[in-house]
Amino acid sequence: MAVRRILIAPHPLLKLKARPVERVDDEIRRLMDDMLETMYRAPGIGLAAPQIGVSLRVVVVDLAKKDEPPAPMRLVNPEITWRSEEQVVMEEGCLSLPEQFAEVTRPAAVKVRYLDERGEEREVEADGMLARCLQHEVDHLDGILFVDRLSPLKRNMIMRKLAKSQRARA
Ligand code: NI
């Protein structure tokens, strides 16, 4: 496994619609292992392949708490098949927008259909943090960042703050 570099917004690759995976093979499984290692190192709770510059519909998530054993989820070609009418507001962050957070409104619960690491079709019904995280990651596959779900005013404010902190770091 290898830690990959995480792209920071406004990198153009983060805006692309990612391609579906045709076959879940060793290369895809290796990609998911690299993504998990990269995510754990960051640390973060979710990562989409476009964030490491790979334009494929692959997502990894792990919501285990610090004192719990790792519980990695590997999702290939995830697709949201149902969204609850109920919406909730939760604070979100993103490894591609380091140190930036904002409250985002999204459906409280979703169903997501995907292929697991063996290429078998699965469906998960999620609410709470998992629903939130899955929606955020699936957005990445369509070139959408959480700031794109905010008002232009808030989005611009965050992007300016991010640019400033990145310049300070350089
Ligand atoms: Ni993100």
Side-chain angles (χ1 to χ4, degrees):
M1 296 210 285
V3 171
R4 310 272 208 107
R5 194 167 63 90
I6 296 174
L7 303 181
I8 305 298
H11 196 290
L13 284 179
L14 293 170
K15 302 302 292 176
L16 292 182
K17 193 171 162 74
R19 290 189 321 278
V21 170
E22 282 173 23
R23 209 164 65 88
V24 183
D25 54 15
D26 285 344
E27 198 180 325
I28 294 297
R29 282 186 281 272
R30 212 154 34 230
L31 169 66
M32 290 192 284
D33 285 345
D34 284 359
M35 286 169 63
L36 281 167
E37 192 171 345
T38 304
M39 180 186 83
Y40 290 136
R41 176 72 63 89
I45 56 173
L47 190 72
Q51 292 182 274
I52 57 164
V54 176
S55 197
L56 286 173
R57 303 188 80 81
V58 176
V59 161
V60 295
V61 169
D62 191 335
L63 296 182
K65 302 205 173 58
K66 262 188 195 147
D67 53 348
E68 293 172 349
M73 273 182 84
R74 299 166 168 88
L75 301 95
V76 176
N77 299 343
E79 197 183 325
I80 297 175
T81 55
W82 173 83
R83 295 171 171 82
S84 65
E85 266 176 43
E86 190 198 349
Q87 307 261 320
V88 285
V89 178
M90 280 177 82
E91 184 170 80
E92 293 188 25
C94 179
L95 294 175
S96 293
L97 293 111
E99 292 151 44
Q100 309 304 316
F101 301 92
E103 293 198 321
V104 184
T105 306
R106 296 184 191 264
V110 289
K111 279 186 192 167
V112 179
R113 193 163 55 206
Y114 63 98
L115 301 176
D116 69 12
E117 62 271 26
R118 292 178 307 177
E120 285 175 21
E121 193 172 304
R122 289 175 176 249
E123 191 171 53
V124 59
E125 184 166 354
D127 59 10
M129 273 295 275
L130 182 57
R132 176 57 55 147
C133 192
L134 290 173
Q135 291 177 81
H136 175 117
E137 300 310 330
V138 171
D139 264 358
H140 273 299
L141 306 180
D142 293 320
I144 299 168
L145 301 173
F146 80 82
V147 287
D148 296 320
R149 303 227 173 254
L150 305 174
S151 68
L153 188 73
K154 271 196 182 157
R155 175 166 60 245
N156 291 338
M157 205 174 75
I158 289 179
M159 294 310 290
R160 273 200 306 272
K161 262 171 47 191
L162 177 62
K164 199 173 157 193
S165 74
Q166 291 298 304
R167 274 199 306 274
R169 184 165 307 186

